[in-house]
Amino acid sequence: MSTVARVAGPGVAAENPQRLRARRARKRQNLRAALLFLSPWILGFLVFTAWPVIYSAYLSFTDYDVINDPTFVGLENYQRMMEDPKVRLSLWNTFVYTVLHVPLYTIFSLGLALLLNQAGRASGFFRTAFFLPKMTPPVAVGVLLLLLFNGQDGLINEVLGWFGIDGPNWTTDQNWIKPGLVLMSLWAVGSSVIILLAALRNVPAELYDSARVDGASFWQQTRRITVPMISGAIFFVVIVNTIASFQIFTEAYTAFFGSGNTTYSNDAALFYVIYLFQQGFEALNMGYASALAWLLFVIILIFTAIQLAVSRRYVYYEGEGR
Amino acid sequence: MTVTHRAQDGPVPPLGRTTGRRRRRLLLTSVVALSTALVAACAQGSGGGDAAEDVSFGSDTELSGNLSVMGFGAGDEIAQVRMEAAQKALGDGVDVSLIEGDLDIQAFLSAVAADDPPELISANRDQIGTFASRGAIIPLDDCLDAEGVDTSVFQEAALAQVTFNDQVYGIPEFNQVQLTQANGDLLAAAGLTIEDVNGSSWERIAAANQALAKSEGGKVSVIGYDSKLPEFLPLWAKANGADLLSQDGRTAQLDDPAVVEALEFAVGIYDAQGGFPAVKAFRDSADFFGENNQFATSTLGAMPMEQWYINVVNDVSPDAPVVYDSFRGRDGEPLAFSSGSAWAIPKGSANPQAACTFAATMVATDSWMAAAQARADIRAEEGKPFTMSPTANTEADEQIRAMVDLDEPKFGPGLEAMYAGLEKTFTLPANPADAEFKTAWQDGVNRVLNGQQEPAEALAQAQEEAQAALDEAWADWDARG
């Protein structure tokens, strides 16, 4: 019988019923243990993520002022969104910020990572130094922006003045508010630098040796070896920062709508999530704010899908066999 | 029957598959049940329920339980002394706790929606109309009757700001008014006096601004006159004889020619100094609350400003050459836009009787006088003149005024100007769309300040936005009956 079973191979039907029972019992036990250990996260996910997401979808079809019961209004909020000029303005501001921020942030991160990669033993110190600003609370960064970029006596304009450049009013001139915010965002470049540095360290040294033998310059090595080899990490930095850019809130809100400016604001700093927050928590239009949130979700989804599609052509993953 | 029974319990493979399916079904059912329970729980929490509450206030009721107060801090003697009086009125049975800092609207409304609000809140008076219209707070007429509070002691404008649909929803506490504050040395050097910048003549303000302002190569070094936009548009409009909102709180009047003219003038003051962006950037770089403030460093000629800044200057730079006068309308009469805080009892408050007693005691004349005396004693010890922000209680203010040394050369005129302004205050009436209304006119002013629109165009757009918000909010209110 046992011989037959062995000949039959791994077929379940041929297995001893007792061993089968025992195996299933073990599986059940493992599943229970896994679920038990995962349950805090699962519960947290259901209550604090899944449920709010589902509920906000429902709220987007209602008129809801946070206090009274929601009233179903069908597609009214979505229709209102199409006609609301501030939605267009805030989307445009957010798009411009993203277009300026993502490439500059990525190039700056990559540049610093390349420098750090050459730093040898001092690399540890610089890694920490570059990462430290990332630990600054975003609210503090917003306040810092107002100080550093003050058009009259800010540090940035003072430095520009050394080179004979008369700096603009970064925090009050609507043409310079977004560029100022983009420059300030480079303050927190540390985390991306660390990710790119880790990728750089994984590029096989033999590739550079071969290139050097063939007479490739540093620039040629960077363009032909480094960038393609770390394209996966670059893509990660790009996609994460694109999503973060679409959700820019704290620094801009603190600097241009928060305690520092309770009445003064500038349309140039009205980003999409700020407008969403104003509708939800200041005007108490939570139904409309929920619809705005879902529009942002769809926009981010589309941009991410496009980036993923483009990445198939340009991003190289080791072991992918391409 | 037997087969079915065996099939349920048996370990053979086909039956095992059936069990797995059942388990999956059970799991699915559990997830659905859990989700439904969550939906139900949250839906219950978010539902507002009845706006009207059957609360009975009576001063002979034995008070007990907890009293959590949101939006109020006991950081100085004015608060501490009155809190002691309030605690005494409540008796030992009530445990008072404070959730300090400005009222967090998001936290407050979430608590109301979850039927777990604080027992009492201290809010800005301009928020009361919105809270009342949404049913987040309850009317206090019975509370005031039960505590024997004579509402005629409250400043008229302050009381109007917390009265919505003919019911009182808030108990006014502090009061803020504006007065003209200027650098006497700069004025004298330019051959000017405080009368040139007190608002009674816009032509003289414009001329004084030209004489006082200094800038070089786009860099401002002295602000001549700061018209304090966007926040003081209501003040400039009223000075020109216009209100931003009709008395019934239903009609926006932002495109009134007198409002447009007021905005043109106030923005023109900045334009004459190189534009608002430059002036604001320079203003932002000032040490507003420190010893190197704009008056102490002679980098500001004059501005309309709330009365509390007298105390700041008094504390940090007592030698600054500041001179004061009332802010005046174009008719030469003192004028002030009244704002401040008020006590309100949230819908669902677990201890409304105690909340009512606490709030009534905090604004009672005796409590204010005890607090004023404590402040006067401390100031005397420090060798500084006694100053105190006005309250919304006219009886208390009258008595406190008698304690103030109005002949004190430095701050006496400021306090005199403050009391003159207090007698001529105005407010925007309570309405259910306060936040949207404010956003509309402030955005309009900001568009002008940022050079995006001309005043008439900006205020026409603001009018449209504000009226749409008011119409919608009033329609909701009327529909709720």
Side-chain angles (χ1 to χ4, degrees):
Chain A
M1 200 47 200
S2 64
T3 311
V4 173
R6 271 200 296 274
V7 170
V12 176
E15 208 169 339
N16 184 324
Q18 265 185 336
R19 284 178 59 192
L20 192 69
R21 262 204 306 275
R23 213 170 61 161
R24 286 210 178 109
R26 234 186 355 262
K27 262 180 140 179
R28 272 199 301 275
Q29 210 177 358
N30 284 344
L31 183 69
R32 267 199 298 272
L35 283 174
L36 189 71
F37 281 113
L38 282 171
S39 59
W41 183 87
I42 291 173
L43 203 65
F45 174 77
L46 286 173
V47 173
F48 297 114
T49 305
W51 165 243
V53 167
I54 294 165
Y55 197 60
S56 79
Y58 160 66
L59 286 180
S60 72
F61 297 103
T62 68
D63 179 10
Y64 179 46
D65 67 1
V66 185
I67 301 160
N68 297 289
D69 292 335
T71 315
F72 188 74
V73 294
L75 292 170
E76 204 175 280
N77 288 326
Y78 290 93
Q79 193 182 341
R80 179 179 165 189
M81 227 156 52
M82 298 302 125
E83 295 159 3
D84 187 343
K86 283 197 172 177
V87 169
R88 287 194 291 277
L89 172 70
S90 58
L91 272 176
W92 171 251
N93 285 338
T94 308
F95 180 72
V96 170
Y97 175 82
T98 303
V99 166
L100 292 174
H101 165 82
V102 175
L104 191 64
Y105 185 95
T106 309
I107 292 167
F108 193 61
S109 305
L110 183 60
L112 285 178
L114 285 168
L115 282 176
L116 269 183
N117 202 29
Q118 309 289 322
R121 294 178 111 186
S123 154
F125 168 77
F126 285 114
R127 258 194 321 230
T128 311
F130 288 149
F131 196 79
L132 271 179
K134 180 78 183 167
M135 309 304 286
T136 314
V139 171
V141 175
V143 175
L144 204 60
L145 179 139
L146 292 179
L147 296 173
L148 290 175
F149 285 82
N150 184 292
Q152 296 290 309
D153 72 346
L155 186 65
I156 301 295
N157 276 4
E158 200 172 316
V159 172
L160 289 174
W162 298 344
F163 302 98
I165 300 169
D166 190 15
N169 285 310
W170 299 91
T171 56
T172 47
D173 184 331
Q174 62 164 2
N175 296 316
W176 287 98
I177 283 180
K178 280 190 279 286
L181 278 163
V182 169
L183 289 177
M184 196 66 205
S185 72
L186 300 180
W187 173 268
V189 83
S191 56
S192 297
V193 172
I194 300 296
I195 289 166
L196 293 173
L197 182 64
L200 285 172
R201 295 271 161 97
N202 279 336
V203 179
E206 309 86 74
L207 295 176
Y208 293 111
D209 292 340
S210 309
R212 271 193 293 272
V213 169
D214 290 342
S217 66
F218 174 78
W219 170 241
Q220 284 172 319
Q221 288 174 44
T222 304
R223 204 159 68 91
R224 302 282 184 188
I225 300 173
T226 309
V227 171
M229 288 302 288
I230 66 164
S231 56
I234 293 173
F235 177 62
F236 175 79
V237 168
V238 167
I239 210 158
V240 165
N241 273 290
T242 304
I243 293 170
S245 296
F246 274 116
Q247 296 176 339
I248 176 177
F249 176 77
T250 313
E251 294 89 339
Y253 188 83
T254 307
F256 298 103
F257 299 89
S259 58
N261 284 299
T262 48
T263 55
Y264 174 74
S265 63
N266 198 308
D267 277 356
L270 185 70
F271 294 107
Y272 191 81
V273 178
I274 291 177
Y275 185 54
L276 190 159
F277 177 84
Q278 287 176 337
Q279 284 297 324
F281 296 103
E282 291 175 8
L284 305 181
N285 294 323
M286 197 56 81
Y288 186 50
S290 299
L292 288 169
W294 275 90
L295 176 65
L296 181 63
F297 173 74
V298 170
I299 290 170
I300 290 177
L301 196 69
I302 291 169
F303 271 85
T304 308
I306 292 170
Q307 286 175 324
L308 282 169
V310 171
S311 78
R312 287 198 193 101
R313 189 176 166 85
Y314 295 106
V315 178
Y316 167 73
Y317 292 103
E318 213 173 341
E320 218 181 22
R322 275 197 288 164
Chain B
M1 203 45 201
T2 312
V3 173
T4 310
H5 193 73
R6 277 179 60 191
Q8 279 175 344
D9 298 334
V12 289
L15 298 181
R17 225 175 287 136
T18 308
T19 311
R21 225 179 286 138
R22 192 178 305 122
R23 195 179 299 126
R24 278 197 294 278
R25 208 176 302 139
L26 190 69
L27 188 69
L28 189 66
T29 312
S30 306
V31 168
V32 171
L34 182 65
S35 304
T36 311
L38 279 170
V39 169
C42 293
Q44 258 181 353
S46 57
D50 272 345
E53 291 238 330
D54 188 19
V55 178
S56 62
F57 294 100
S59 52
D60 55 345
T61 314
E62 179 91 19
L63 297 172
S64 61
N66 294 322
L67 181 73
S68 67
V69 182
M70 187 184 259
F72 181 77
D76 64 4
E77 63 281 359
I78 302 292
Q80 286 156 8
V81 169
R82 290 183 302 131
M83 268 198 68
E84 282 166 21
Q87 182 72 68
K88 200 172 164 189
L90 291 170
D92 294 335
V94 180
D95 185 16
V96 180
S97 60
L98 300 181
I99 303 165
E100 300 199 35
D102 287 345
L103 182 72
D104 182 337
I105 296 175
Q106 191 182 339
F108 166 58
L109 293 178
S110 304
V112 172
D115 282 336
D116 185 27
E119 279 70 52
L120 182 67
I121 60 167
S122 173
N124 283 334
R125 290 204 293 268
D126 61 11
Q127 296 167 334
I128 295 294
T130 300
F131 290 162
S133 69
R134 316 250 172 169
I137 55 177
I138 60 174
L140 298 180
D141 301 271
D142 291 345
C143 154
L144 294 166
D145 283 348
E147 291 293 329
V149 176
D150 173 12
T151 52
S152 68
V153 301
F154 294 123
Q155 202 201 33
E156 209 175 309
L159 191 64
Q161 211 176 7
V162 295
T163 303
F164 181 74
N165 205 38
D166 295 330
Q167 287 186 298
V168 176
Y169 280 87
I171 304 178
E173 191 186 26
F174 281 104
N175 219 357
Q176 287 186 11
V177 292
Q178 305 78 31
L179 53 144
T180 302
Q181 308 187 20
N183 185 308
D185 288 355
L186 288 179
L187 289 178
L192 301 165
T193 66
I194 187 77
E195 284 76 26
D196 289 302
V197 289
N198 67 7
S200 53
S201 165
W202 288 4
E203 293 73 23
R204 283 165 73 185
I205 288 182
N209 181 47
Q210 291 280 11
L212 295 167
K214 282 184 190 162
S215 62
E216 202 180 316
K219 298 276 179 198
V220 178
S221 55
V222 176
I223 297 174
Y225 187 88
D226 188 345
S227 43
K228 299 298 275 186
L229 288 181
E231 58 265 40
F232 284 172
L233 177 69
L235 189 64
W236 288 109
K238 189 71 174 180
N240 204 28
D243 287 302
L244 301 190
L245 185 60
S246 65
Q247 280 311 301
D248 62 3
R250 287 179 181 261
T251 311
Q253 301 172 161
L254 300 174
D255 56 354
D256 184 313
V259 180
V260 176
E261 188 188 12
L263 181 57
E264 282 170 346
F265 166 72
V267 171
I269 290 293
Y270 293 124
D271 291 342
Q273 300 178 76
F276 181 75
V279 175
K280 178 166 171 24
F282 183 68
R283 184 211 280 172
D284 286 348
S285 68
D287 181 15
F288 198 73
F289 294 97
E291 58 183 350
N292 293 319
N293 60 71
Q294 291 165 294
F295 287 133
T297 54
S298 291
T299 51
L300 170 65
M303 64 176 174
M305 185 62 198
E306 279 100 356
Q307 89 293 327
W308 53 261
Y309 202 58
I310 300 175
N311 289 353
V312 172
V313 175
N314 184 7
D315 279 339
V316 300
S317 57
D319 297 327
V322 199
V323 290
Y324 303 96
D325 192 4
S326 299
F327 178 85
R328 293 171 191 274
R330 296 182 87 172
D331 58 2
E333 288 298 309
L335 185 66
F337 177 59
S338 169
S339 62
S341 57
W343 295 101
I345 301 179
K347 182 190 76 171
S349 168
N351 205 346
Q353 292 86 357
C356 177
T357 301
F358 183 93
T361 310
M362 290 294 281
V363 301
T365 305
D366 289 348
S367 305
W368 283 120
M369 293 316 298
Q373 191 55 57
R375 163 70 61 88
D377 293 345
I378 290 171
R379 286 296 165 101
E381 267 177 40
E382 293 172 348
K384 289 180 176 173
F386 168 63
T387 57
M388 182 170 153
S389 288
T391 76
N393 179 328
T394 53
E395 194 177 73
D397 273 358
E398 197 61 40
Q399 293 180 36
I400 292 168
R401 184 176 184 166
M403 294 169 64
V404 173
D405 181 8
L406 295 174
D407 296 326
E408 198 274 332
K410 197 90 185 83
F411 300 101
L415 298 170
E416 190 83 71
M418 177 185 85
Y419 285 114
L422 272 170
E423 287 168 15
K424 296 289 177 78
T425 57
F426 71 100
T427 58
L428 297 181
N431 69 84
D434 174 72
E436 294 102 314
F437 182 75
K438 205 189 283 179
T439 300
W441 70 254
Q442 287 181 352
D443 282 357
V445 176
N446 284 322
R447 285 193 295 273
V448 179
L449 293 173
N450 296 326
Q452 295 165 266
Q453 284 179 327
E454 290 300 311
E457 186 192 357
L459 289 176
Q461 183 183 328
Q463 168 73 18
E464 211 173 293
E465 291 168 0
Q467 194 57 55
L470 285 168
D471 288 345
E472 192 182 332
W474 278 109
D476 281 352
W477 166 256
D478 293 339
R480 277 202 286 272

